[in-house]
Amino acid sequence: TVYAIIFSVSMVGTFLRSQWIVQAGPRCSQVLFSEMMERVQHAPMHYFETTPLGRILNRFTYDMETVDITLTEAMSMLLTSVGWMSAGIAVQIAILPWQILSIFFIFYVYWSLVLHSRKSAVDLQRLDAVSRSPVQAKLSECIEGAPTIRAFHRSHYFARTFRDTLDENTTAMMNFMAAQRWLAVRIQLVGATGVFTSVCIVVSFNEQLRLPAGLAAMLIIWSSNMTISLGFMVQAISESEAAITSVERLSAMATIPQERTPIVGTTPDPGWPTSGALTFHNVTMRYREGLPLALTGLSFSLRSGQRCGIVGRTGAGKSSIALALFRLVEIEPTGSITLDNTDLATLSLSDLRGRANGLCIIPQDPILFAGTLRDCLDPFGEKEDAEVYEALRAVRIGNAGERNMVE
């Protein structure tokens, strides 16, 4: 009966622990990733101009991997060690009640070590994670600027700066690992001391205690197991607390500023815009707070069907007009941009851009996304094959009549 109860409790505990790890861990990661992706996709342009690309990539790669794997494994080890440790304490007290004094002493020493270690462990883990962002940023910069770097014969310079950045990350990582080893060595020493104490008590006072050989052996075995479990628990607490810094950084992504959208917006007709009459009235725009104005009191009108070319020196505001038109950068409230007598500031961003018959732009720098050519030409799958072929013929790209051109 006793073994049946122990077996049943063990099965229930293992099942609950496995369900928590298998379901709660991935669900937490999914929620964090979805929220972070949503915030980044709707962040204004100045966020990407002021935030290094390596930092964003680090959040989506290293920090997500830490939450998905490292934190889940550490929490699993923590639950397992707590179960084993609780069982070990119960068995030892049942065999030898005086063993509770040794257990209290071991707990006190272990907890003192944890409190001393956590003063630096979290910050060292944070330094390790933060120092990874410059590595990814440097790598992406070198790959994208490889032609320019070679043209100016600066390959050795950039290779040296990349190695320096990599050394900084390695230094932070080694300091964190050294702190973990420092704690592990002391935990093992304290654990060995606890086992040695149990053995000394059994050997020295067995005549007074009158413990059978089987119970004495069980006391020593469970003393050793509890020490091992307590070591795993302390290590799991330290690793979990260090991995929580990734959750902290992922949660901070929820504070990313978002593109402005009207609280009560105007819903345009499905066919809007119909004529394409465009009016800029006293448009003033700056890219972000604290920067000088890029557009100052700009006013002009374009009739339906009229073509307009904007000419100016670098920095005159040519690109700024397009950014203001698509609301990639918001204008000051003193001005307005109207299209077919509809103020663009009153529309939601989904109605202004990214929908059929909406505003479209041909970017200055062409981009081919992963996938087929057809996916790049018609990413939303709204056009027929004949229309895709016609677009290819219009720009004279190969034999547009062949299906393998778009598949």
Side-chain angles (χ1 to χ4, degrees):
T1 304
V2 175
Y3 286 105
I5 295 175
I6 296 175
F7 178 77
S8 300
V9 172
S10 177
M11 287 292 295
V12 172
T14 303
F15 176 77
L16 294 177
R17 175 178 60 86
S18 301
Q19 289 297 311
W20 184 82
I21 294 171
V22 171
Q23 296 187 9
R27 189 182 299 117
C28 174
S29 301
Q30 184 178 4
V31 170
L32 288 173
F33 183 85
S34 300
E35 183 178 1
M36 181 171 58
M37 177 65 74
E38 182 73 17
R39 302 293 294 188
V40 171
Q41 286 180 334
H42 294 87
M45 293 301 297
H46 69 79
Y47 170 76
F48 299 99
E49 295 169 356
T50 57
T51 305
L53 178 61
R55 184 181 303 171
I56 301 176
L57 293 176
N58 192 37
R59 299 295 180 269
F60 281 96
T61 53
Y62 173 75
D63 287 326
M64 281 307 308
E65 180 184 2
T66 300
V67 175
D68 279 336
I69 301 176
T70 306
L71 182 58
T72 303
E73 291 180 348
M75 294 301 294
S76 174
M77 184 171 65
L78 176 61
L79 293 177
T80 303
S81 59
V82 167
W84 276 97
M85 185 188 63
S86 301
I89 293 175
V91 171
Q92 291 182 75
I93 294 177
I95 296 175
L96 183 62
W98 290 103
Q99 185 69 8
I100 193 173
L101 299 177
S102 174
I103 293 174
F104 275 142
F105 174 75
I106 292 175
F107 263 92
Y108 172 76
V109 175
Y110 270 58
W111 187 245
S112 300
L113 288 174
V114 171
L115 291 180
H116 184 74
S117 174
R118 70 186 301 271
K119 294 178 180 178
S120 61
V122 176
D123 290 331
L124 289 175
Q125 172 70 5
R126 185 179 289 110
L127 288 175
D128 177 31
V130 170
S131 63
R132 292 174 184 265
S133 299
V135 174
Q136 295 177 328
K138 288 284 186 181
L139 182 60
S140 61
E141 290 172 0
C142 292
I143 293 175
E144 294 177 0
T148 304
I149 294 173
R150 292 180 180 179
F152 288 91
H153 303 286
R154 303 294 292 174
S155 300
H156 295 291
Y157 170 77
F158 280 92
R160 185 173 65 255
T161 57
F162 179 77
R163 285 194 295 268
D164 293 340
T165 305
L166 198 61
D167 288 342
E168 293 179 1
N169 172 247
T170 305
T171 301
M173 181 180 63
M174 292 301 296
N175 285 332
F176 174 68
M177 294 179 63
Q180 295 292 94
R181 292 301 92 201
W182 180 92
L183 180 62
V185 169
R186 281 149 182 80
I187 287 175
Q188 293 296 328
L189 290 176
V190 175
T193 302
V195 176
F196 179 74
T197 302
S198 299
V199 172
C200 289
I201 291 175
V202 171
V203 172
S204 303
F205 302 100
N206 196 32
E207 293 183 359
Q208 290 79 12
L209 298 175
R210 299 184 181 278
L211 290 176
L215 290 180
M218 183 177 292
L219 175 64
I220 296 174
I221 292 174
W222 276 99
S223 175
S224 176
N225 289 341
M226 191 208 71
T227 303
I228 295 174
S229 300
L230 192 56
F232 274 112
M233 187 190 72
V234 173
Q235 181 181 356
I237 292 175
S238 177
E239 292 180 357
S240 299
E241 191 173 21
I244 286 293
T245 57
S246 293
V247 179
E248 174 188 345
R249 287 188 293 273
L250 294 178
S251 300
M253 299 290 282
T255 62
I256 294 176
Q258 300 290 275
E259 290 184 307
R260 189 173 65 192
T261 185
I263 300 176
V264 180
T266 302
T267 302
D269 296 331
W272 180 88
T274 55
S275 63
L278 178 65
T279 301
F280 274 58
H281 176 67
N282 194 30
V283 173
T284 301
M285 186 200 79
R286 68 179 79 239
Y287 281 92
R288 59 181 181 272
E289 293 294 332
L291 294 182
L293 294 174
L295 298 175
T296 307
L298 177 64
S299 299
F300 66 89
S301 297
L302 296 177
R303 298 185 302 274
S304 174
Q306 185 178 5
R307 296 182 180 181
C308 176
I310 303 175
V311 181
R313 61 176 178 80
T314 301
K318 303 183 296 296
S319 300
S320 300
I321 294 176
L323 295 178
L325 178 61
F326 282 84
R327 287 180 56 190
L328 294 174
V329 179
E330 296 290 348
I331 64 174
E332 300 292 332
T334 55
S336 63
I337 303 175
T338 59
L339 183 62
D340 283 357
N341 297 321
T342 300
D343 191 349
L344 300 185
T346 63
L347 300 177
S348 65
L349 295 176
S350 59
D351 290 327
L352 177 63
R353 42 182 156 96
R355 70 177 182 91
N357 202 40
L359 292 179
C360 298
I361 187 172
I362 300 176
Q364 182 177 358
D365 299 322
I367 297 176
L368 283 178
F369 297 99
T372 64
L373 181 58
R374 194 190 202 291
D375 295 334
C376 295
L377 293 173
D378 184 25
F380 302 107
E382 298 173 345
K383 304 299 180 181
E384 300 293 335
D385 288 346
E387 296 177 276
V388 177
Y389 295 151
E390 183 60 31
L392 291 174
R393 293 191 190 98
V395 295
R396 300 178 182 178
I397 296 182
N399 184 3
E402 297 181 2
R403 180 172 294 273
N404 58 8
M405 285 293 296
V406 294
E407 294 183 352

